[in-house]
Amino acid sequence: LYLAGEGFTGVGRRIKSHEQHYDYSLKNKPLLVSNRGTRIGDTEDFKNLQEVCRAIQEEHGSIGMIIVDTLARNYGLNENSTEDMNKFIQHIDDLKEEFNASIIIVHHTGHGSGARSRGSSVLPAALDYEFKVDRDKNSDDAAMLVSLKQTLVKDGTPIDDMYLKFQEIKLLGFNGVTSGVLALTDERPKITNLTPVRSETIEAIESYQLEKNPDRPIDIWVKGVILAAIMNVKKPTMTTRLRDMYDLGLIHYDEKQGYQSKKWDNEVF
């Protein structure tokens, strides 16, 4: 069951492009797509979702997976509220237990930092697995390169990183209509704009993170003023350098916390 909270009008084209690319028909297959999102955090909307799931189970058999895409469009509450997120997670657990289904939640990263999911920390704490999907900023729209990396696993060993490339598909039987698929590729992102000065700055950030928390450096951020002192650089010079590095996608930035290396984005702690 795919809860399409956004982009519903394009779902049909994406399914068609998938079928065409892989030469595999999804017709009459056990894939059901909603025509709108639902507020899982809302008690009444959640009850309605449960009734729909029960009807699906009665007509089609067991529900193996429920995909929530995206959390924001299927939530209905305040993402930053611990109380609200706990309610959402409880409802997700209820779905998982009643229907014995795997639950996939599509969610966005936070503003300023691509290292963590947006909103309350209750969500990542409740997950069994987490994967980060990231677009290579140096690839263009026509040849978009995407990485999929496991960032959390509660039991077992994380999977190897996977890379996918966008391929435009001209849909057969639909004159002028196109869509696309992400297909596995051996291509890897190219690191660009990494000058010696920028490399030294990244090393200084990483050293600071490791010094403050050797076990979980990903929890540590460093202010620009501290980096300026560490590297013996004037504050305006450091501010400009860090801003440029962030714009190039070389480091993370959070307005309140400062800067952070990307080295540990895909580590499992």
Side-chain angles (χ1 to χ4, degrees), residues 174-239:
F174 298 88
N175 187 31
V177 178
T178 65
S179 187
V181 296
L182 287 172
L184 285 171
T185 180
D186 293 328
E187 188 175 335
R188 298 293 183 266
K190 298 176 182 178
I191 299 177
T192 59
N193 303 310
L194 198 57
T195 64
V197 169
R198 289 168 180 162
S199 294
E200 289 174 9
T201 305
I202 291 174
E203 289 174 4
I205 295 172
E206 292 171 356
S207 295
Y208 183 88
Q209 290 180 247
L210 284 169
E211 179 185 345
K212 295 300 179 181
N213 193 338
D215 296 325
R216 287 188 59 88
I218 196 170
D219 291 337
I220 303 299
W221 296 77
V222 55
K223 298 281 189 180
V225 63
I226 295 176
L227 276 173
I230 291 174
M231 300 188 71
N232 195 25
V233 175
K234 292 182 179 180
K235 294 178 185 177
T237 301
M238 180 57 73
T239 298

Side-chain angles (χ1 to χ4, degrees), residues 34-52:
S34 72
N35 59 5
R36 67 172 181 87
T38 184
R39 297 180 299 168
I40 295 176
D42 180 81
T43 301
E44 289 304 313
D45 266 24
F46 178 66
K47 287 181 179 178
N48 291 335
L49 176 60
Q50 285 179 303
E51 290 302 320
V52 169

Side-chain angles (χ1 to χ4, degrees), residues 5-265:
E6 56 186 49
F8 172 74
T9 55
V11 172
R13 291 198 301 271
R14 292 198 293 273
I15 290 176
K16 278 289 183 184
S17 64
H18 181 94
E19 291 179 319
Q20 193 170 309
H21 178 76
Y22 291 102
D23 192 24
Y24 178 81
S25 175
L26 291 171
K27 187 177 181 179
N28 298 323
K29 297 297 189 293
L31 171 64
L32 300 176
V33 181
S34 72
N35 59 5
R36 67 172 181 87
T38 184
R39 297 180 299 168
I40 295 176
D42 180 81
T43 301
E44 289 304 313
D45 266 24
F46 178 66
K47 287 181 179 178
N48 291 335
L49 176 60
Q50 285 179 303
E51 290 302 320
V52 169
C53 288
R54 288 165 188 153
I56 290 172
Q57 185 168 259
E58 183 174 344
E59 182 176 351
H60 300 282
S62 297
I63 301 174
M65 179 181 294
I66 300 173
I67 301 172
V68 180
D69 185 8
T70 60
L71 182 145
R73 297 301 294 269
N74 289 279
Y75 189 57
L77 299 171
N78 180 0
E79 286 185 14
N80 296 310
S81 166
T82 298
E83 181 179 355
D84 286 351
M85 189 60 75
N86 273 321
K87 184 177 182 182
F88 173 81
I89 292 299
Q90 182 57 60
H91 286 172
I92 289 293
D93 285 342
D94 290 344
L95 289 175
K96 182 173 65 174
E97 292 169 11
E98 178 174 354
F99 301 103
N100 193 30
S102 297
I103 312 289
I104 293 178
I105 302 172
V106 180
H107 192 32
H108 298 288
T109 54
H111 298 296
S113 169
R116 295 179 178 81
S117 59
R118 194 173 68 190
S120 171
S121 60
V122 169
L123 177 62
L127 301 177
D128 293 317
Y129 306 95
E130 181 185 65
F131 300 86
K132 183 183 178 186
V133 178
D134 204 10
R135 174 179 173 173
D136 177 23
K137 292 184 178 180
N138 296 312
S139 63
D140 57 30
D141 290 339
M144 180 173 62
L145 187 64
V146 172
S147 64
L148 186 148
K149 304 182 180 184
Q150 187 161 13
T151 52
L152 184 149
V153 55
K154 285 190 175 178
D155 185 20
T157 303
I159 65 169
D160 293 335
D161 296 347
M162 300 171 65
Y163 295 89
L164 306 103
K165 195 167 187 177
F166 177 79
Q167 295 187 20
E168 186 178 34
I169 304 293
K170 295 180 179 180
L171 300 182
L172 299 176
F174 298 88
N175 187 31
V177 178
T178 65
S179 187
V181 296
L182 287 172
L184 285 171
T185 180
D186 293 328
E187 188 175 335
R188 298 293 183 266
K190 298 176 182 178
I191 299 177
T192 59
N193 303 310
L194 198 57
T195 64
V197 169
R198 289 168 180 162
S199 294
E200 289 174 9
T201 305
I202 291 174
E203 289 174 4
I205 295 172
E206 292 171 356
S207 295
Y208 183 88
Q209 290 180 247
L210 284 169
E211 179 185 345
K212 295 300 179 181
N213 193 338
D215 296 325
R216 287 188 59 88
I218 196 170
D219 291 337
I220 303 299
W221 296 77
V222 55
K223 298 281 189 180
V225 63
I226 295 176
L227 276 173
I230 291 174
M231 300 188 71
N232 195 25
V233 175
K234 292 182 179 180
K235 294 178 185 177
T237 301
M238 180 57 73
T239 298
T240 301
R241 182 191 303 176
L242 291 170
R243 187 184 300 119
D244 290 343
M245 292 173 65
Y246 170 68
D247 289 341
L248 291 167
L250 298 175
I251 56 175
H252 292 305
Y253 170 67
D254 181 89
E255 184 177 356
K256 294 182 179 179
Q257 300 184 88
Y259 298 88
Q260 190 182 69
S261 170
K262 291 189 170 185
K263 180 177 181 178
W264 295 283
D265 282 10

